[in-house]
Amino acid sequence: MRPLLEDLVNKSKIQTALVQATWQDNLVSKVAKHLLSHQNTFSYSQLTNFYRSRAAYADFSRGQKIKQEEVAYYVKSFWSWHWLTKQGFFDDYFNNMICTLFRKHRKQHQYIMHAIAGLPFFNGDIQKWWSTLVKTPSPSHQSNQKHHSTDTRKTSTSLETSKQAWLKLVKSLGPKEARYATKSGRKLYIKIYRADKKWLLDVNKQYRVKRATPKNRVSWRKRDFETVKAMFHHLYQSHDMTTPRRSKRWFLSQLHNSATIENNLYRLPKTTAFLTRYTESYQDYQSRRLVITAIEFAKIKKRAKKWQLYRNARINTQRSISSQVRRTCDWCVDWLEQNIK
């Protein structure tokens, strides 16, 4: 019993085959070891300068614009596209990754992506790649601070001028009119809203125009009665049997204020009850068309069979026909036989 159990255990073991690693895998593993032993941090501006300098050095730039497609092709040719696809890359994703790395950096990327994009420019030399990346200078803090202070002064002066212009508009027109009356008013509102929202809201609240409450409010009860009366007028006074199907939409379209009525049906119980009661179903519409067709046959004093009535009434016999429509058709055939001699 014991040897049998040992044989079963041995047979259930998964046999693994040793596969020789490619030079790309070996290079990536060396990069991983190097990164674990060097814990440097890089600013976004430093990474931006590094990739722009590499693209310019390899003649992949035209002024400030980097030739993204040529950079992606250069990186692919170094690693081989066959190896990159095994790592899970595909055309669109890989090209997008290269584009984001060689543009202005606004977020951090995985270090393996930096290795894939940066090592080809150093022919796979990890030490040169790393030392160049570390030594890449950031933009001068002092010059940035000087430009920032100058820009801040210009911005504050421009903002103060905009506030004075907006205050003048608000005093004369009110907040809403000042914002929508002119194109310059809209621009002022947007500019101040982005720069100093609290000041803008406080000023608008201070000069808000108080509008009088309208005295004539809508009497929905009266409007409900008038609407039903108008609909009954269209229902009984319209003797034209060739009208389209008298659906809810048809009844509402006969009114001069159809949009208002449709949007406020929950306030109009009588109108809603009318539409529920008198709206013509599709079966009723087909029956009406059959009657109209029978009248047309009677005018020329010609009897008709069922298929002729269906065809002239534009009723598709290939689809299911309701019992109501069938009864109407039978009645029309009998009526024609009795009244045409």
Side-chain angles (χ1 to χ4, degrees):
M1 190 67 180
R2 188 180 184 83
L4 179 60
L5 292 174
E6 291 178 355
D7 291 339
L8 291 174
V9 171
N10 291 332
K11 288 180 180 180
S12 64
K13 288 182 179 179
I14 301 174
Q15 297 181 356
T16 57
L18 296 177
V19 180
Q20 186 176 1
T22 61
W23 66 268
Q24 293 98 329
D25 295 328
N26 290 328
L27 182 58
V28 170
S29 65
K30 291 179 182 178
V31 170
K33 291 180 182 178
H34 187 84
L35 294 176
L36 290 173
S37 59
H38 298 77
Q39 297 181 356
N40 295 61
T41 56
F42 306 97
S43 64
Y44 292 158
S45 57
Q46 188 176 2
L47 291 171
T48 302
N49 288 349
F50 170 76
Y51 284 106
R52 285 182 177 175
S53 64
R54 290 303 94 197
Y57 181 80
D59 198 21
F60 290 141
S61 63
R62 184 168 59 248
Q64 293 295 325
K65 184 178 180 181
I66 296 175
K67 303 174 183 177
Q68 305 289 357
E69 294 182 357
E70 295 184 15
V71 173
Y73 179 78
Y74 177 74
V75 174
K76 288 179 187 177
S77 61
F78 175 80
W79 294 100
S80 83
W81 185 237
H82 178 71
W83 180 80
L84 288 171
T85 52
K86 282 188 175 181
Q87 309 312 311
F89 291 104
F90 49 89
D91 278 330
D92 293 338
Y93 173 69
F94 185 80
N95 292 341
N96 183 59
M97 185 267 288
I98 293 296
C99 287
T100 53
L101 282 173
F102 280 82
R103 286 176 181 165
K104 182 178 179 180
H105 277 248
R106 293 183 175 87
K107 65 177 183 178
Q108 187 61 271
H109 298 273
Q110 295 179 359
Y111 279 98
I112 187 62
M113 291 186 176
H114 287 287
I116 290 175
L119 282 174
F121 293 92
F122 301 92
N123 198 23
D125 192 329
I126 298 174
Q127 295 298 332
K128 286 185 179 180
W129 164 66
W130 188 257
S131 60
T132 306
L133 181 58
V134 172
K135 292 177 183 178
T136 300
S138 297
S140 175
H141 179 71
Q142 186 176 1
S143 61
N144 284 347
Q145 190 174 7
K146 185 185 296 183
H147 289 302
H148 180 70
S149 60
T150 305
D151 293 342
T152 303
R153 285 196 297 270
K154 289 181 180 179
T155 304
S156 60
T157 304
S158 175
L159 180 60
E160 192 62 32
T161 306
S162 300
K163 285 182 178 180
Q164 294 300 325
W166 177 256
L167 194 59
K168 185 178 179 181
L169 276 175
V170 169
K171 286 181 178 179
S172 59
L173 301 175
K176 191 171 183 179
E177 290 294 331
R179 180 179 177 184
Y180 295 106
T182 60
K183 190 175 181 180
S184 60
R186 290 194 292 271
K187 288 183 178 180
L188 282 173
Y189 182 90
I190 293 171
K191 182 178 180 180
I192 301 172
Y193 184 91
R194 291 174 176 172
D196 195 348
K197 179 181 176 182
K198 186 178 183 302
W199 181 91
L200 179 67
L201 296 180
D202 290 342
V203 168
N204 289 353
K205 186 176 180 181
Q206 183 180 353
Y207 293 98
R208 183 178 298 168
V209 177
K210 295 182 179 180
R211 304 187 185 278
T213 305
K215 296 181 180 180
N216 299 326
R217 296 208 176 258
V218 177
S219 174
W220 291 106
R221 182 179 179 183
K222 182 179 178 182
R223 181 167 294 189
D224 191 15
F225 179 78
E226 292 174 350
T227 303
V228 170
K229 185 178 178 180
M231 286 185 172
F232 271 115
H233 174 78
H234 290 294
L235 178 65
Y236 293 123
Q237 297 299 323
S238 178
H239 299 293
D240 186 9
M241 292 191 65
T242 61
T243 58
R245 184 166 78 93
R246 294 170 182 175
S247 60
K248 173 183 174 181
R249 172 62 58 188
W250 183 85
F251 278 112
L252 290 173
S253 65
Q254 308 306 310
L255 305 173
H256 68 280
N257 57 345
S258 58
T260 304
I261 298 300
E262 185 176 6
N263 292 331
N264 293 277
L265 280 175
Y266 65 96
R267 294 173 172 169
L268 308 169
K270 290 183 174 60
T271 303
T272 305
F274 175 91
L275 292 173
T276 305
R277 172 66 179 82
Y278 293 102
T279 294
E280 190 176 35
S281 66
Y282 196 71
Q283 290 78 12
D284 295 336
Y285 181 44
Q286 287 181 329
S287 300
R288 179 155 63 91
R289 294 210 307 264
L290 284 170
V291 173
I292 294 171
T293 305
I295 293 172
E296 291 175 354
F297 275 106
K299 288 179 180 179
I300 60 175
K301 296 182 179 181
K302 180 181 177 181
R303 295 181 181 180
K305 296 182 179 180
K306 291 181 181 181
W307 64 270
Q308 291 175 318
L309 288 173
Y310 283 134
R311 184 179 65 181
N312 286 28
R314 304 185 311 279
I315 297 175
N316 189 358
T317 56
Q318 301 298 322
R319 297 183 179 179
S320 60
I321 301 174
S322 66
S323 58
Q324 174 186 337
V325 177
R326 291 180 185 275
R327 288 196 302 270
T328 305
C329 185
D330 294 338
W331 180 88
C332 289
V333 172
D334 295 340
W335 182 81
L336 287 171
E337 288 179 355
Q338 293 173 8
N339 291 275
I340 297 176
K341 298 181 180 179

